[in-house]
């Protein structure tokens, strides 16, 4: 399956933006730092939301209220993460092509996003949702996002 | 390599330091735990700071947000501190000479001082502004200082690994 995507990786590797980032010592670290800030924000928001779903924090606040409070920041940080992540990817697309952790990360990332905007969204928009199912959904959400983080960190190591 | 104090060199060449540095798995595992613990602690702490700045959860009492978020932030801090010590141990000489690492330590100390001032003085009058959507200026400043110092800690920490200067 990766083989079919080779032209995409080759294209990404040769983009103007990829070349610009690769050509500078400074751009990659700076973009990477923004990537890190945004993921801290997102992970914190997801964690608080999931702890609420498990009934461990902010019990006095309805789930939907917590969701409304966190949503704008969650969406903004996700936007920054995806934009900065895509730029980092362009600058080393061929390295990513060969990287096992990168595949792992993308698998978890696409699953996490798909889950987040479907089942997860359905659950956090309801106040009287089944508690057991809420906990299960929270657990899946944390696992998926944690997988993204682990895979991401591992790209630099393996 | 720049001259470093004897203790820094001793840490660098100690069994534990060398063991972590040269292990295929240990260094990445400790480093990954450090980063994940960071997103746990600072990730939830920023939401408290946002509350102090009136940017989020405005209708929740500040004391409530504090009580609920801090246990998780503390678990993250402990993990981050322990793994941070181990990372420093394994790369003591590199860290010692790094300008970014020094900036990180400075920012860390400032973050600590800011938190202490908030906990032990600012918070004494919490009854007056607990339920305020936007608390008084000095409370907002505590939140802003926390955001700035932790941003510096993360930025300088990430930059330490790049050896730019």
């Amino acid at each position: 399956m990766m083989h079919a995507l080779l032209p995409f990786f080759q294209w990404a590797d040769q983009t103007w933006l990829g070349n610009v980032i690769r050509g500078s010592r400074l751009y990659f670290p700076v973009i990477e730092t923004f990537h890190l800030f945004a993921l801290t924000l997102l992970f914190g928001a997801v964690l608080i939301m999931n702890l609420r779903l498990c009934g461990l924090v902010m019990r006095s606040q309805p789930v939907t209220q917590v969701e409304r409070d966190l949503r704008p920041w969650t969406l903004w940080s996700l936007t920054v993460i995806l934009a900065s992540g895509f730029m980092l990817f362009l600058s080393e697309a061929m390295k990513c092509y060969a990287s096992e952790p990168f595949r792992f990360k993308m698998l978890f990332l696409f699953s996490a996003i798909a889950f987040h905007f479907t089942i997860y969204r359905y659950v956090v928009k309801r106040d009287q949702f089944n508690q057991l199912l809420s906990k299960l959904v929270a657990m899946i959400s944390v696992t998926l996002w944690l997988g993204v983080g682990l895979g991401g960190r591992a790209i630099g190591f393996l | 390599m720049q001259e470093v104090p004897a203790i820094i060199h001793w840490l660098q060449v100690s069994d534990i330091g060398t063991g972590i540095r040269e292990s295929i798995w240990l260094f990445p595992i400790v480093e990954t735990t450090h980063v994940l613990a960071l997103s746990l602690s600072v990730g939830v702490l920023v939401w408290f700071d946002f509350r102090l700045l009136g940017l989020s959860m405005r209708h929740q009492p500040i004391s409530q947000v504090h009580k609920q978020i801090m246990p998780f932030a503390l678990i993250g801090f402990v993990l981050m501190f322990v793994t941070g010590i181990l990372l420093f141990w394994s790369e003591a000489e590199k860290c010692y000479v790094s300008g970014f690492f020094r900036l990180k330590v400075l920012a860390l100390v400032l973050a600590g001082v800011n938190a202490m001032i908030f906990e032990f003085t600012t918070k004494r009058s919490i009854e007056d502004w607990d339920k305020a959507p936007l608390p008084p200026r000095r409370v907002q400043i505590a939140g802003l200082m926390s955001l700035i110092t932790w941003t510096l800690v993360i930025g300088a920490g990430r930059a330490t690994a790049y050896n730019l200067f």
Side-chain angles (χ1 to χ4, degrees):
Chain A
M1 182 219 151
M2 280 301 281
H3 195 67
L5 291 172
L6 182 59
F8 170 71
F9 283 83
Q10 283 168 334
W11 166 81
D13 202 59
Q14 287 310 314
T15 50
W16 168 80
L17 191 57
N19 277 313
V20 168
I21 297 169
R22 206 169 23 233
S24 158
R25 278 181 78 205
L26 208 57
Y27 293 162
F28 192 94
V30 170
I31 299 169
E32 166 104 77
T33 304
F34 277 96
H35 197 60
L36 204 57
F37 288 150
L39 86 83
T40 307
L41 205 57
L42 177 74
F43 197 73
V46 167
L47 200 70
I48 293 173
M49 191 67 238
N50 285 328
L51 288 167
R52 176 62 190 90
L53 280 182
C54 292
L56 290 172
V57 299
M58 303 179 186
R59 279 155 177 269
S60 55
Q61 298 279 112
V63 169
T64 49
Q65 181 64 55
V66 179
E67 195 271 337
R68 266 201 301 278
D69 282 334
L70 297 178
R71 184 175 42 198
W73 296 92
T74 312
L75 292 180
W76 271 113
S77 53
L78 188 59
T79 309
V80 174
I81 292 176
L82 292 177
S84 57
F86 191 65
M87 289 195 262
L88 296 174
F89 164 72
L90 290 180
S91 78
E92 49 174 33
M94 290 321 288
K95 177 191 164 183
C96 293
Y97 180 74
S99 163
E100 285 287 344
F102 180 77
R103 292 175 206 181
F104 179 91
K105 178 178 183 177
M106 287 306 115
L107 182 69
F108 273 86
L109 177 66
F110 293 134
S111 312
I113 291 176
F115 186 75
H116 193 85
F117 288 103
T118 54
I119 300 171
Y120 191 74
R121 198 184 144 89
Y122 181 88
V123 173
V124 294
K125 297 254 185 222
R126 270 154 193 80
D127 276 326
Q128 304 299 333
F129 199 71
N130 181 298
Q131 285 194 359
L132 195 66
L133 282 178
S134 288
K135 282 179 187 160
L136 183 70
V137 161
M139 233 83 93
I140 295 173
S141 168
V142 164
T143 310
L144 289 175
W145 288 113
L146 214 56
V148 180
L150 278 173
R153 181 61 275 210
I155 294 172
F157 282 128
L158 299 179
Chain B
M1 196 98 182
Q2 190 180 322
E3 276 296 307
V4 298
I7 181 161
I8 299 293
H9 180 70
W10 176 79
L11 281 174
Q12 171 94 15
V13 299
S14 64
D15 285 352
I16 293 179
T18 309
I20 298 170
R21 185 171 60 247
E22 296 188 349
S23 158
I24 291 175
W25 286 105
L26 214 50
F27 190 86
I29 288 171
V30 177
E31 169 80 60
T32 304
T33 312
H34 192 63
V35 179
L36 291 179
L38 163 96
S39 50
L40 171 64
S41 57
V42 183
V44 299
L45 183 71
V46 292
W47 295 98
F48 181 65
D49 296 335
F50 285 161
R51 174 63 187 92
L52 293 184
L53 286 165
L55 292 172
S56 183
M57 302 181 251
R58 294 169 67 110
H59 22 255
Q60 281 211 65
I62 291 173
S63 58
Q64 278 299 312
V65 181
H66 186 271
K67 196 175 80 187
Q68 320 242 5
I69 277 178
M70 282 309 161
F72 296 96
L74 282 177
I75 296 171
F77 284 128
V78 170
L79 266 174
M80 200 161 54
F81 202 73
V82 172
T83 50
I85 295 277
L86 291 173
L87 291 172
F88 178 78
W89 200 328
S90 74
E91 299 199 306
E93 290 185 347
K94 178 185 165 182
C95 293
Y96 184 82
V97 300
S98 160
F100 280 120
F101 185 78
R102 293 175 184 195
L103 177 63
K104 174 177 177 168
V105 174
L106 177 69
L108 206 52
V109 170
L110 289 177
V113 170
N114 181 57
M116 289 298 153
I117 294 175
F118 179 79
E119 289 292 328
F120 296 116
T121 66
T122 315
K123 225 176 83 181
R124 271 195 229 143
S125 59
I126 192 165
E127 309 233 311
D128 302 337
W129 38 266
D130 199 14
K131 293 204 169 79
L134 188 64
R137 184 59 59 83
R138 67 206 149 82
V139 181
Q140 291 179 40
I141 289 172
L144 188 64
M145 279 304 291
S146 169
L147 282 176
I148 292 172
T149 48
W150 281 108
T151 302
L152 269 175
V153 171
I154 297 178
R158 178 64 271 212
T160 303
Y162 281 115
N163 267 337
L164 284 171
F165 299 106

